[in-house]
Amino acid sequence: MTLPPLPESAIVLRGEAATWRDAVRLAGAALATSGAARPGYSDEMIRMIDEHGPYVVIAPGLALAHARPGPDVLTDGLAVVTLREPVSFGHPHNDPVSVVLGLAISSRERHLESIADLANVFNDQAAIPAIAAAEDAATVIAILKRNQ
Amino acid sequence: MKIVAICGAGIGSSGILKVNAERVLLRLGLEADVTATDIGSVQRDAADAQVILTSAEFVEAIGKTYADVIVIENYFDQQELAEKLEKSLG
């Protein structure tokens, strides 16, 4: 099974974000730092939410920021951002958000295996609060690997 | 039976809906073909679907359809998915 790669460089803990846009930018910057995406991928992810609304807030406290495969994606990658202060995305049920996942997918065809692994992790309802409370990157990585 | 999961990009969130819907259907003993697609392709990909799974944000954009549109709040809550799918299919 294969989660998208999550190096420590793609994990930001207790990030400062005043708005959901700032929070998504932190995830985009983390993907750029790890080499999964170009810096422009942040704007792509924000555009998806501007266009379609806050549907990326797919569970209480969790946003799965992502855009389509495209030139700004360099390779498959995952970023995890926890927020010092949760932000609102304007979602009717799942605000406020304290954990933002950034997802870069390079090929539509191969992505479902990684997504299945992501589902395995977060189908455990304890995963989101545990990641939100994590004090170091190793703890976040352990939570994501635990349920694969 | 055909079920289509819809999101903005056709990857990511709709992929999670697809994966979790398949697991729930297996548990319920129901057979269905579940695919994930983006909102721009819904008229083509969901033309013969019985059920569309999505978020509240997309209900209006999906427009006219014969499918039963099910809105999921927590994509990781298999209980919610099971109850809503069972109600729609049962």
Side-chain angles (χ1 to χ4, degrees):
Chain A
M1 302 295 265
T2 47
L3 265 183
L6 175 66
E8 287 203 11
S9 61
I11 298 175
V12 176
L13 299 180
R14 311 272 154 86
E16 304 262 2
T19 66
W20 68 261
R21 285 173 202 275
D22 295 342
V24 173
R25 276 188 210 289
L26 287 176
L31 287 169
T33 303
S34 75
R38 294 196 167 91
Y41 191 63
S42 283
D43 290 332
E44 302 263 333
M45 294 194 290
I46 288 171
R47 194 174 313 130
M48 293 299 295
I49 301 169
D50 275 335
E51 256 177 51
H52 301 296
Y55 76 99
V56 297
V57 188
I58 57 175
L62 181 93
L64 175 63
H66 64 288
R68 295 185 177 87
D72 282 325
V73 177
L74 300 172
T75 182
D76 288 358
L78 191 63
V80 176
V81 174
T82 69
L83 299 173
R84 189 176 298 277
E85 297 290 338
V87 297
S88 168
F89 276 65
H91 191 278
H93 304 285
N94 295 335
D95 274 336
V97 169
S98 52
V99 177
V100 180
L101 303 179
L103 179 67
I105 292 288
S106 57
S107 151
R108 191 177 285 264
E109 284 67 39
R110 291 186 291 105
H111 86 282
L112 274 170
E113 264 185 55
S114 323
I115 291 295
D117 271 0
L118 212 52
N120 287 342
V121 174
F122 289 99
N123 284 344
D124 175 357
Q125 307 288 316
I128 297 170
I131 290 172
E135 305 262 343
D136 51 53
T139 306
V140 173
I141 289 173
I143 294 164
L144 277 137
K145 301 242 152 120
R146 188 171 59 200
N147 294 306
Q148 277 187 67
Chain B
M1 160 143 39
K2 185 172 170 184
I3 297 176
V4 178
I6 304 278
C7 79
I11 62 159
S13 17
S14 58
I16 285 171
L17 269 185
K18 167 183 155 68
V19 166
N20 275 344
E22 283 171 343
R23 290 172 181 172
V24 164
L25 290 166
L26 193 68
R27 210 176 68 210
L28 295 175
L30 297 167
E31 269 190 46
D33 173 34
V34 190
T35 55
T37 193
D38 66 280
I39 185 68
S41 311
V42 62
Q43 288 300 338
R44 184 192 68 208
D45 291 350
D48 56 348
Q50 277 82 36
V51 171
I52 295 175
L53 294 171
T54 193
S55 293
E57 287 79 6
F58 294 110
V59 171
E60 203 177 312
I62 287 167
K64 209 173 153 206
T65 172
Y66 292 110
D68 189 7
V69 178
I70 300 180
V71 171
I72 300 297
E73 289 168 14
N74 182 347
Y75 281 36
F76 296 114
D77 183 349
Q78 298 202 22
Q79 191 61 34
E80 179 188 349
L81 259 170
E83 279 166 15
K84 290 180 175 174
L85 277 171
E86 219 172 7
K87 193 170 163 214
S88 171
L89 303 174

